[in-house]
Amino acid sequence: MPRVTGCDEGTGRVRSKSAGAVKADELLVQVAGGDQQAFEQLYGMVSGPVFGLVRRVVRDPAQSEEVSQEVLLELWRSAARFDPGRGSALSWVLTLAHRRAVDRVRSARAAGEREQREARRAHHPAFDQVTEEVEAGLEREWVRRCLDRLTALQRQSVTLAYYDGYTYREVAERLSLPLGTVKTRMRDGLTRLRDCLGSAA
């Protein structure tokens, strides 16, 4: 496979459907056949528009550069999927670029949400108190028995919060209950759970 160099900071402006567009279509068909020289020519034609589109979606320059390179590598590997009868080469390439850029944004957002969830779990004082008691040497069987002594709503609330890491508000949303009700049941449930675990120690 030909070596891919850095993307130009193009404007993302698409050329009119002229000799250039027809040339791109022909080049992409040749790339599908493994023509490295055709790939180098096509790379020069589409790298600017690809980077321009990716930059508008991803925003971050370094990540935009990285995503653009991924798109151009994908172009080399999957050129055989291009169907000239369904659109132009440039439109096909920009579709690949948009899909890859959106995937990168979603991936970054999901990673941020996971970090926030872990941070909430690590700094919730009510859950930490129970965690300390469990980690002090109480066996899992006692925890299960103590949970069984709670009401159904208390058990659901404590399980969602302690084991799954949800906040009070998230527990309320999942159980379709008022936030105040969940807080009260959670407090009562944690108190009963601590008492039960304390007597089992």
Side-chain angles (χ1 to χ4, degrees):
M1 188 189 76
R3 186 170 64 88
V4 179
T5 57
C7 291
D8 298 326
E9 287 203 15
T11 62
R13 216 175 288 156
V14 179
R15 297 176 182 174
S16 60
K17 182 72 173 179
S18 60
V22 174
K23 178 68 172 176
D25 292 355
E26 295 173 351
L27 288 172
L28 186 50
V29 171
Q30 293 171 25
V31 171
D35 189 327
Q36 295 189 12
Q37 186 175 3
F39 176 76
E40 291 173 2
Q41 293 181 52
L42 184 61
Y43 179 95
M45 295 176 69
V46 304
S47 59
V50 164
F51 183 79
L53 186 151
V54 171
R55 178 69 184 272
R56 287 196 296 273
V57 176
V58 177
R59 307 285 185 178
D60 178 77
Q63 287 199 48
S64 297
E65 177 76 16
E66 185 177 321
V67 172
S68 296
Q69 291 300 306
E70 293 173 359
V71 171
L72 293 165
L73 286 171
E74 183 179 357
L75 170 61
W76 168 256
R77 294 169 181 153
S78 61
R81 299 203 321 251
F82 170 62
D83 180 0
R86 301 182 63 182
S88 71
L90 187 54
S91 295
W92 186 76
V93 173
L94 292 180
T95 298
L96 294 180
H98 185 264
R99 185 181 305 125
R100 186 63 69 105
V102 169
D103 286 346
R104 175 62 65 92
V105 171
R106 287 175 177 166
S107 176
R109 185 179 301 140
E113 290 173 353
R114 282 196 300 272
E115 290 176 1
Q116 290 177 6
R117 185 178 293 276
E118 289 301 320
R120 287 198 300 267
R121 291 178 65 181
H123 293 92
H124 202 299
F127 305 151
D128 287 346
Q129 293 171 12
V130 179
T131 302
E132 289 172 1
E133 294 190 47
V134 173
E135 292 178 346
L138 296 174
E139 296 180 355
R140 185 179 300 275
E141 178 62 20
W142 276 111
V143 175
R144 186 189 65 77
R145 290 181 183 179
C146 290
L147 282 171
D148 287 343
R149 295 182 186 180
L150 303 181
T151 66
L153 180 54
Q154 288 173 342
R155 185 166 56 253
Q156 281 182 300
S157 301
V158 171
T159 299
L160 284 171
Y162 176 70
Y163 290 105
D164 297 334
Y166 290 102
T167 63
Y168 286 132
R169 187 173 301 281
E170 289 172 334
V171 172
E173 291 174 355
R174 290 182 67 86
L175 298 179
S176 300
L177 293 171
L179 180 59
T181 300
V182 167
K183 285 184 176 181
T184 300
R185 296 298 183 273
M186 188 89 72
R187 184 178 61 249
D188 295 342
L190 287 171
T191 298
R192 292 182 62 180
L193 187 59
R194 281 196 296 271
D195 291 344
C196 178
L197 291 173
S199 64

